[in-house]
Amino acid sequence: MIKKWALRAIIAYVLFGVFMYAYLYFLADSSIPDALKGTSADPTTFLDAKEIMLSEEYSKFRNLLFFLATPYEWLFYYLILIFGISAKFEDWAKKTTKISIVTTAIYLFWLSLASFLVMFPLSYLSFMMSKSYNISTQTFSLWMKDKLIDFWIEFAISFIVITVLYALIRKFKKRWWLGAWILSVPFSIFMMFIQPVLIDPLYNEFTPLQDKQLEAKILEFADKANIPADHVYEVDMSSKTNSMNAYVTGVGSNSRIVLWDTTLERLSDDEILFIMAHEMAHYVEKHIYIGIAGYLLLTLIGLYITAKIMERWITRRGQTWKVEKMTNISSLPVFLLITSILLFSVSPLTNWVSRYQEVRADTYAIEMTQNKDAGVQTFQSLTKAGLSQINPPYLVKIFRYGHPTMLERIKLIEEYELKQEDNGE
């Protein structure tokens, strides 16, 4: 019976992969509407034929990898449950020590290591493709260093969360999900507070922006936006990527304005100011806090649904999986499987909200800079640097894109200009 269900799961995954390959490579349409051909949103006006070909190839590969990776993770969790591997990890941990918190740490290490090794081929494939398309500039050793930092940071955070979670499950068997949600509120805010000053520096070197004239212009924008920042930081990303980015991160006194060095090297001051105005809009319009509120609401609903499904699954399948009850740490893959499925299912909604906020931020940048040409040039440059599709397929957009497509962003700038002219502004 176990082999039968394992085979069914593998076949389902393969069929899904075949469907997504057919959709992305043969069925989906990513062409530019006739009405926009020859405009600034048409890639033929700012990319050469080779760049257009490369952007299509690279985007299709990345999109396929995205749709393969998530259900691949589900398959991993499912198989280690039905083959009793999760239960074996718990047995190993209990044989090592009788101290509950140490047992949790040992179990979590084995599960994390297994997950890391199983997911590694996809991660490595993504890295090699990024190298071959000249997006990534990292050496393998530096890439592995980041992967290992990821592993230990995720392990440390997971250990804290899982230890508290299972303590709640043992104490409040019917209402543990509510306690977990209540504790997630301060924890989420705390993580956002320490991210810029403790976690981000583990990956990159942050230094004050060397171009003081540009810094003065950015801080002038920040002052208008009431952002509590005295410095602008630049981060060394050219050793890792040819892509460009900038962001405002953190909350309260830990807010930081950050520019990638690749952005500084490739964009003009006007284009950088447009990007910074966009990023500052998220702070001005409280998108960070709206995001926290939305996240907490979805977390409450998600934990409730997870609790109900988890209890039902373990009651029905626990004996087969050798997971005696929910309080066993070996039930963790059940929790992770359910939450991962729920997160993927709700991603079209969260991405839609994010895209709406990004449109608001783009509009704010247009109004603040009054430089629409800089906006168009910025999005064209970002497209070229990242080999992005101008008009990605529909499924890619709703499941992957937290930003509007480049076609939509450039079109917004043009339409906004026309509206101003029509209103006599």
Side-chain angles (χ1 to χ4, degrees), residues 230-263:
D230 298 322
H231 300 285
V232 179
Y233 293 87
E234 60 180 274
V235 56
D236 175 22
M237 290 297 295
S238 56
S239 61
K240 296 184 177 183
T241 182
N242 282 317
S243 295
M244 298 182 286
N245 198 10
Y247 55 89
V248 178
T249 187
V251 292
S253 60
N254 272 16
S255 296
R256 272 192 174 186
I257 301 171
V258 180
L259 282 161
W260 287 11
D261 61 341
T262 51
T263 305

Side-chain angles (χ1 to χ4, degrees), residues 16-223:
F16 173 78
V18 170
F19 169 77
M20 290 310 307
Y21 179 83
Y23 172 76
L24 293 171
Y25 282 83
F26 301 105
L27 303 176
D29 182 18
S30 59
S31 61
I32 304 299
D34 291 338
L36 294 177
K37 289 182 177 178
T39 68
S40 56
D42 185 349
T44 61
T45 63
F46 60 92
L47 298 177
D48 60 36
K50 183 179 180 181
E51 288 170 332
I52 293 173
M53 178 192 71
L54 291 175
S55 68
E56 285 295 315
E57 287 180 356
Y58 183 61
S59 295
K60 285 177 180 178
F61 167 78
R62 285 202 311 158
N63 293 334
L64 179 62
L65 197 62
F66 167 81
F67 283 109
L68 291 179
T70 302
Y72 184 65
E73 181 185 32
W74 302 345
L75 183 64
F76 164 71
Y77 291 138
Y78 183 66
L79 292 180
I80 67 168
L81 282 168
I82 66 173
F83 283 116
I85 298 173
S86 181
K88 287 185 182 298
F89 287 162
E90 184 176 15
D91 288 342
W92 293 348
K94 287 181 176 179
K95 288 177 181 178
T96 304
T97 179
K98 298 299 182 182
I99 303 172
S100 177
I101 193 169
V102 181
T103 300
T104 299
I106 295 172
Y107 170 87
L108 188 59
F109 172 78
W110 285 115
L111 180 65
S112 300
L113 181 61
S115 178
F116 178 85
L117 294 175
V118 167
M119 300 302 294
F120 185 82
L122 293 183
S123 298
Y124 180 70
L125 182 60
S126 178
F127 165 68
M128 290 304 297
M129 289 299 291
S130 295
K131 288 280 286 184
S132 65
Y133 281 89
N134 202 33
I135 300 297
S136 173
T137 60
Q138 272 187 303
T139 62
F140 175 76
S141 59
L142 288 176
W143 178 76
M144 274 303 302
K145 177 185 174 183
D146 281 352
K147 293 294 291 183
L148 291 174
I149 292 173
D150 280 343
F151 177 87
W152 288 111
I153 289 177
E154 289 175 9
F155 175 79
I157 294 173
S158 297
F159 173 66
I160 296 170
V161 172
I162 298 306
T163 299
V164 174
L165 177 67
Y166 274 81
L168 291 170
I169 291 176
R170 294 182 187 107
K171 189 171 180 62
F172 309 104
K173 294 184 179 180
K174 295 295 183 182
R175 293 286 185 269
W176 61 265
W177 56 271
L178 183 59
W181 177 77
I182 292 171
L183 291 177
S184 74
V185 177
F187 182 76
S188 299
I189 296 172
F190 173 73
M191 289 302 299
M192 291 188 67
F193 188 77
I194 68 168
Q195 178 87 26
V197 294
L198 291 181
I199 297 177
D200 289 347
L202 295 174
Y203 295 90
N204 300 104
E205 181 181 355
F206 291 79
T207 57
L209 182 61
Q210 296 179 10
D211 187 339
K212 296 304 176 184
Q213 290 184 340
L214 177 60
E215 182 181 51
K217 294 176 183 177
I218 294 173
L219 290 177
E220 184 180 347
F221 275 16
D223 184 59

Side-chain angles (χ1 to χ4, degrees), residues 308-325:
K308 298 302 178 183
I309 297 176
M310 190 174 175
E311 184 177 4
R312 183 176 301 176
W313 280 8
I314 291 177
T315 299
R316 294 182 178 181
R317 302 289 181 185
Q319 187 175 2
T320 303
W321 297 340
K322 299 179 182 177
V323 178
E324 296 176 2
K325 47 192 175 181

Side-chain angles (χ1 to χ4, degrees), residues 264-419:
L264 292 166
E265 291 168 3
R266 298 183 185 184
L267 298 186
S268 67
D269 283 5
D270 285 344
E271 291 167 340
I272 290 172
L273 289 173
F274 186 90
I275 290 177
M276 296 315 305
H278 167 98
E279 296 301 330
M280 291 176 190
H282 292 306
Y283 185 93
V284 172
E285 299 211 354
K286 312 297 183 186
H287 290 165
I288 294 175
Y289 300 102
I290 293 171
I292 292 174
Y295 165 78
L296 293 175
L297 175 61
L298 289 176
T299 300
L300 176 63
I301 298 171
L303 283 170
Y304 173 77
I305 295 173
T306 299
K308 298 302 178 183
I309 297 176
M310 190 174 175
E311 184 177 4
R312 183 176 301 176
W313 280 8
I314 291 177
T315 299
R316 294 182 178 181
R317 302 289 181 185
Q319 187 175 2
T320 303
W321 297 340
K322 299 179 182 177
V323 178
E324 296 176 2
K325 47 192 175 181
M326 276 181 57
T327 54
N328 284 45
I329 190 66
S330 54
S331 69
L332 180 58
V334 183
F335 176 86
L336 296 175
L337 173 60
I338 297 169
T339 53
S340 181
I341 292 173
L342 291 177
L343 284 171
F344 185 79
S345 300
V346 80
S347 61
L349 173 62
T350 57
N351 285 338
W352 178 81
V353 173
S354 177
R355 289 196 299 270
Y356 172 77
Q357 292 178 336
E358 295 297 334
V359 169
R360 296 280 300 175
D362 284 346
T363 303
Y364 179 91
I366 297 169
E367 293 174 344
M368 174 171 273
T369 64
Q370 290 296 302
N371 192 341
K372 303 167 190 64
D373 289 340
V376 171
Q377 291 164 6
T378 297
F379 293 141
Q380 290 177 342
S381 297
L382 290 172
T383 300
K384 188 171 185 176
L387 291 180
S388 304
Q389 280 180 309
I390 286 288
N391 189 30
Y394 179 72
L395 288 181
V396 174
K397 176 182 173 180
I398 64 172
F399 280 102
R400 284 206 68 192
Y401 275 53
H403 289 70
T405 66
M406 289 301 185
L407 178 77
E408 293 168 335
R409 302 183 85 170
I410 294 173
K411 186 168 175 280
L412 169 69
I413 295 176
E414 293 184 338
E415 289 184 350
Y416 188 87
E417 188 174 25
L418 288 172
K419 287 178 182 178

